[in-house]
Amino acid sequence: MMYRKKSSPGADENAFNTSISDLMAGLLGIFVLALVYFMINIGEVKQEYTGSMDKRDKILQEVEGEMEKRGVKVQIDKKQGVLRIPESVLFESGEASIKSEGQTAVSELGNALYQILQKDDYKNAVETIFIEGHTDNVPIENDYFHSNWELSTQRAINTWNLMREDTNGLDDLRNPNGQPMFSCSGYADTRPVTDDGLDEDSEEGRSANRRIDLRFAMMPPKDNDSK
């Protein structure tokens, strides 16, 4: 007659505890691997983002330097990625037509942009350059413009039309997605200049806000899953 050895309750409990411990160790290992993978990806994205911002700064600096050589002073804001054409040469109050001295500045800017954006260092780096029109805070209502929104948008469009007409090939520039690189938008008087210390209700402040800003948006970091 054979006798089956009975397992003690203590032995079953130890085996159960061992299984749970193995399971927890396995889950911890998976978590650590996932965390490491996540941290590596975050590091790569941060590096790409930093590199993109560095390129944007260099583009702005090169455009500023090139315009200075051409006798035109522009303002740059690296933090916002904005290049501003001197407001004093662009528009009269309530007008969308660019003044004669402003036409020279805009034409030179278009030429400088095309020359710099064609460089190998900057190809496929820029997603969009927004040409942003702005107005002073004087309300407008006439046969041409029913509001400052229409006026500011038309200012941006007129600026772009002048740039592309005077610089062959500028209109053909595309971002890596095959989309046109330049875009126009109007902000009326909703985004006044705030870093010049001028009162936007003064004549000087209003003149400063009748402006065109070029805002550079760089290509976002690549999705690792799409590489």
Side-chain angles (χ1 to χ4, degrees):
M1 182 178 295
M2 296 179 64
Y3 295 93
R4 179 174 296 174
K5 185 177 180 181
K6 295 182 179 180
S7 60
S8 64
D12 291 340
E13 184 177 347
N14 288 338
F16 177 77
N17 289 338
T18 300
S19 298
I20 290 295
S21 297
D22 291 342
L23 177 62
M24 294 303 293
L27 291 175
L28 179 61
I30 293 173
F31 174 77
V32 170
L33 290 174
L35 181 61
V36 169
Y37 178 77
F38 176 77
M39 294 302 294
I40 290 174
N41 282 346
I42 287 294
E44 290 178 351
V45 170
K46 183 178 180 180
Q47 185 176 12
E48 286 186 27
Y49 179 81
T50 301
S52 181
M53 294 303 100
D54 287 344
K55 281 190 177 182
R56 187 180 72 178
D57 291 348
K58 289 178 181 178
I59 291 174
L60 289 171
Q61 286 179 329
E62 286 203 33
V63 174
E64 182 185 33
E66 183 61 31
M67 292 296 287
E68 189 172 352
K69 293 177 184 177
R70 298 167 185 243
V72 180
K73 178 68 176 177
V74 296
Q75 302 168 353
I76 61 172
D77 181 344
K78 290 184 180 179
K79 184 177 181 181
Q80 300 296 326
V82 167
L83 183 147
R84 182 166 298 148
I85 306 174
E87 70 282 345
S88 59
V89 302
L90 289 178
F91 308 104
E92 298 288 357
S93 183
E95 297 289 337
S97 298
I98 304 172
K99 295 190 289 185
S100 58
E101 58 265 44
Q103 291 178 16
T104 300
V106 170
S107 179
E108 293 288 358
L109 178 58
N111 187 265
L113 280 171
Y114 182 75
Q115 175 182 316
I116 291 169
L117 292 173
Q118 289 290 90
K119 291 185 176 182
D120 290 339
D121 288 346
Y122 305 135
K123 284 185 177 180
N124 299 322
V126 178
E127 180 180 38
T128 308
I129 298 176
F130 297 94
I131 302 174
E132 301 177 346
H134 300 268
T135 71
D136 56 34
N137 60 1
V138 178
I140 187 171
E141 173 68 38
N142 56 38
D143 292 339
Y144 300 101
F145 306 110
H146 298 295
S147 71
N148 277 326
W149 289 102
E150 295 179 25
L151 175 59
S152 63
T153 303
Q154 191 61 54
R155 284 177 173 174
I157 293 171
N158 288 352
T159 300
W160 168 235
N161 282 337
L162 180 59
M163 287 172 62
R164 66 176 180 171
E165 287 170 5
D166 286 357
T167 304
N168 292 331
L170 193 66
D171 198 15
D172 297 324
L173 292 181
R174 296 290 186 270
N175 65 22
N177 297 323
Q179 302 162 331
M181 189 175 293
F182 288 87
S183 174
C184 295
S185 56
Y187 291 96
D189 59 338
T190 62
R191 298 189 180 186
V193 177
T194 58
D195 57 0
D196 57 8
L198 296 175
D199 180 1
E200 63 178 296
D201 291 321
S202 68
E203 182 52 43
E204 293 82 2
R206 286 170 176 164
S207 176
N209 286 315
R210 296 194 291 270
R211 70 190 197 276
I212 291 292
D213 288 348
L214 271 67
R215 189 177 304 274
F216 288 68
M218 309 302 285
M219 288 297 297
K222 296 178 182 177
D223 183 354
N224 289 334
D225 292 337
S226 63
K227 289 181 179 180

